[in-house]
Amino acid sequence: MTLETLPTGLVAHRPDTDAQWWRHAVIYQVYPRSFADASGDGIGDLPGVTARLDHLVELGVDAVWLSPFYRSPQADAGYDVADYRDVDPLFGTLADADALVARAHELGLRVVVDLVPNHTSDEHVWFRAALASAPGSPERARYHFREGRGEHGELPPNNWESIFGGPAWTRTTQPDGTPGQWYLHLFDSKQPDLNWENPEVRAEFEDVLRFWLDRGVDGFRVDVAHGMVKQDGLPDWDGHVAMIDGSDDTDAVAGTGNHGPMFDQDGVHDIYRSWRRVLDAYDGDRAMVAEAWVEPLSRLARYVRPDEMHQAFNFAFLAAGWHAPSLRRVIDASFAANDAVGAPTTWVMSNHDVVRHASRLGLTDPTHRPNGIGDGDEQPDAVLGLHRARAASLLMLALPGSAYVYQGEELGLPDHTALDDDLRQDPAFFRTGGAERGRDGCRVPLPWEGDAPGLGFSPTGATWLPQPTAWADLAVDRQRGREGSTYELYRAALRLRRAERLGAGGLQWLTEPAGEHVLAFRNGDVVVVANLDEADVELPLSGEVLLASGPLRDGVLPAGTTVWLRAA
């Protein structure tokens, strides 16, 4: 039996006829400090991004999402914002941001910027005013200040833990040097949480949205979109504050969603309805995407109802790892949940917060997601990891909906898994006493030129984190035009995805051709088959091969290989 004669199974998703760009787009994430440096200080900047936008056009993406470039003390790499209406001098100026947006639009690229509404920097003018004001003041009402528990207020107001480790509360010191109230921070102590029950906070962020929309941005990626509203009374919670684990392949789809009283409260939806009204008042089909680690997927779909967000990151897909049954369940559940509210499904494999999938998939357990990898940890099999990563990426890019590509994954970059601990900067590393290596390994500056100092990242050769020596052969100039390179694989995939309109397509499963570890489906005129088994499978691949993640052999689909074929 050939693929052309395989019986079809469940229709998981029907073609999408809506022309809105964000429903089908491939969006490329730029982490500005690590993309390209124009100033020569070893830290990426906005002029560096602008100078390299041609790379994104050549690659074939539709839009660029920029991680935060706002004025910030950089305690958490810019996710601690001191001024939402200005560019940090580290990255350039407002004029540089305007130039980037203008150049991107000239090249046909949309621009999405990060918005960080759950918390500010402790150096934000509001928080400085709060510290200088008395308990119960309007300035403190913008944040979560509370009296401590215990005889002298020496204990935190509740037992919540920070995602970065340690307590989620820090005690202030009064002007006379005596201990004062405590303030809440779900992340680092330099990132105090805003109080979204305060109308002043809501009005401020609507104005921030308009500030950037007026400058021409096409949308916003909303950081910690599930975290802004807390349960009334801030009650104790005996659970563990964490992102989706995903190690249990059933929880990734049908978990309880119990992330405690600090996450996924119903009140967040009123915020997004008001934001949607702001965006809808502008021309140009502006869009928002939620970074919401929420499960089950039916709960996540509430963020993308017609009057709220446009997209939400599908972290259940990322968390499923290299496990075909889990991926099948996540794909089916994703379409079911999102189709029910008329929203597109998004797909993502890597970003600035997780170990790159070229490394994750090279671990002994390719469904495991460690928070960073360092010396003394299991080192991934680089060859196996890249082989699987190419197959996983080809599978992802064939799925209907919108896809996100993290900078460098088109080069097959692994994490820097041997980074010296004394070079690490992620607050998660320090707050856990090194128990978690943190996210620095996936944030290393990109390699542009294999023979240049700093691999062409900066005109001086400086890089704020060192690059692995093995990255020289993965540089853009080494892969461009090289048959079989990961870069050329991505270019071909994105070209075919657009030509075949896979993002707007439908998905119909084919009856499993070779066991539970092989995924096979049809999207329009393209048949996609992915072998996630550890062994080759006998499978006649008759018909025109459009693209394959690795070498093929007659009658066999090799282990860790995905192939796109022209359907009969």
Side-chain angles (χ1 to χ4, degrees), residues 89-253:
L90 196 67
F91 301 121
T93 65
L94 269 175
D96 292 327
D98 292 340
L100 192 162
V101 172
R103 178 58 178 158
H105 287 168
E106 287 176 6
L107 295 171
L109 295 169
R110 307 265 185 168
V111 178
V112 175
V113 298
D114 229 305
L115 188 68
V116 188
N118 178 72
H119 47 264
T120 70
S121 165
D122 64 345
E123 297 185 24
H124 191 284
V125 62
W126 275 9
F127 194 72
R128 288 178 170 175
L131 291 180
S133 301
S137 65
E139 290 82 4
R140 291 204 171 189
R142 296 165 175 158
Y143 296 88
H144 294 278
F145 280 87
R146 296 290 188 275
E147 299 295 337
R149 297 189 291 192
E151 184 178 355
H152 303 290
E154 71 277 9
L155 300 176
N158 66 26
N159 67 349
W160 294 2
E161 295 179 352
S162 162
I163 288 174
F164 288 166
W169 295 89
T170 290
R171 196 171 192 185
T172 63
T173 301
Q174 300 187 100
D176 63 2
T178 59
Q181 288 187 307
W182 297 72
Y183 68 88
L184 176 68
H185 53 88
L186 292 181
F187 294 87
D188 191 69
S189 58
K190 292 182 68 62
Q191 295 168 288
D193 278 42
L194 287 161
N195 174 17
W196 276 87
E197 302 300 333
N198 188 322
E200 191 175 1
V201 173
R202 299 196 178 208
E204 167 69 4
F205 274 86
E206 289 189 18
D207 191 69
V208 169
L209 290 174
R210 293 187 184 97
F211 178 86
W212 289 104
L213 290 167
D214 288 342
R215 303 189 91 90
V217 305
D218 299 285
F220 301 91
R221 176 265 190 187
V222 181
D223 186 62
V224 196
H226 58 311
M228 289 128 75
V229 174
K230 281 70 174 173
Q231 185 174 326
D232 288 347
L234 309 183
D236 278 350
W237 185 55
D238 293 330
H240 173 63
V241 179
M243 301 306 187
I244 290 174
D245 183 276
S247 56
D248 183 325
D249 54 54
T250 56
D251 286 348
V253 176

Side-chain angles (χ1 to χ4, degrees), residues 376-394:
D377 301 325
E378 179 197 351
Q379 294 297 302
D381 182 324
V383 174
L384 178 62
L386 178 58
H387 182 68
R388 287 174 169 173
R390 288 163 57 100
S393 296
L394 217 54

Side-chain angles (χ1 to χ4, degrees), residues 125-439:
V125 62
W126 275 9
F127 194 72
R128 288 178 170 175
L131 291 180
S133 301
S137 65
E139 290 82 4
R140 291 204 171 189
R142 296 165 175 158
Y143 296 88
H144 294 278
F145 280 87
R146 296 290 188 275
E147 299 295 337
R149 297 189 291 192
E151 184 178 355
H152 303 290
E154 71 277 9
L155 300 176
N158 66 26
N159 67 349
W160 294 2
E161 295 179 352
S162 162
I163 288 174
F164 288 166
W169 295 89
T170 290
R171 196 171 192 185
T172 63
T173 301
Q174 300 187 100
D176 63 2
T178 59
Q181 288 187 307
W182 297 72
Y183 68 88
L184 176 68
H185 53 88
L186 292 181
F187 294 87
D188 191 69
S189 58
K190 292 182 68 62
Q191 295 168 288
D193 278 42
L194 287 161
N195 174 17
W196 276 87
E197 302 300 333
N198 188 322
E200 191 175 1
V201 173
R202 299 196 178 208
E204 167 69 4
F205 274 86
E206 289 189 18
D207 191 69
V208 169
L209 290 174
R210 293 187 184 97
F211 178 86
W212 289 104
L213 290 167
D214 288 342
R215 303 189 91 90
V217 305
D218 299 285
F220 301 91
R221 176 265 190 187
V222 181
D223 186 62
V224 196
H226 58 311
M228 289 128 75
V229 174
K230 281 70 174 173
Q231 185 174 326
D232 288 347
L234 309 183
D236 278 350
W237 185 55
D238 293 330
H240 173 63
V241 179
M243 301 306 187
I244 290 174
D245 183 276
S247 56
D248 183 325
D249 54 54
T250 56
D251 286 348
V253 176
T256 64
N258 181 17
H259 288 288
M262 68 290 294
F263 286 136
D264 194 30
Q265 301 299 301
D266 288 343
V268 298
H269 300 288
D270 289 335
I271 298 170
Y272 300 136
R273 291 188 186 98
S274 69
W275 288 11
R276 180 63 176 261
R277 290 192 291 271
V278 171
L279 267 69
D280 285 349
Y282 284 79
D283 294 332
D285 206 10
R286 317 296 175 100
M288 294 181 292
V289 56
E291 186 219 20
W293 292 81
V294 172
E295 51 185 14
L297 287 163
S298 58
R299 184 85 182 170
L300 179 63
R302 301 176 77 235
Y303 287 75
V304 289
R305 289 176 289 193
D307 60 346
E308 297 189 40
M309 295 279 198
H310 302 76
Q311 297 181 338
F313 289 130
N314 190 345
F315 293 123
F317 181 76
L318 182 154
W322 188 254
H323 188 250
S326 297
L327 287 167
R328 170 73 182 261
R329 285 193 288 272
V330 167
I331 291 168
D332 284 341
S334 299
F335 283 131
N338 288 300
D339 287 354
V341 295
T345 294
T346 68
W347 312 103
V348 61
M349 292 294 300
S350 287
N351 62 38
H352 66 292
D353 282 333
V354 300
V355 172
R356 289 178 176 275
H357 63 284
S359 290
R360 293 199 317 272
L361 302 184
L363 295 170
T364 301
D365 177 2
T367 65
H368 180 48
R369 289 194 308 106
N371 187 5
I373 299 173
D375 286 333
D377 301 325
E378 179 197 351
Q379 294 297 302
D381 182 324
V383 174
L384 178 62
L386 178 58
H387 182 68
R388 287 174 169 173
R390 288 163 57 100
S393 296
L394 217 54
L395 172 66
M396 178 187 80
L397 292 172
L399 292 169
S402 180
Y404 281 78
V405 173
Y406 178 47
Q407 65 176 42
E409 74 171 76
E410 77 276 18
L411 305 176
L413 295 186
D415 253 46
H416 194 332
T417 60
L419 187 67
D420 290 340
D421 285 349
D422 59 2
L423 298 175
R424 296 185 183 276
Q425 300 187 29
D426 188 348
F429 173 77
F430 299 102
R431 289 184 63 88
T432 62
E436 293 185 356
R437 301 291 185 164
R439 301 161 292 176

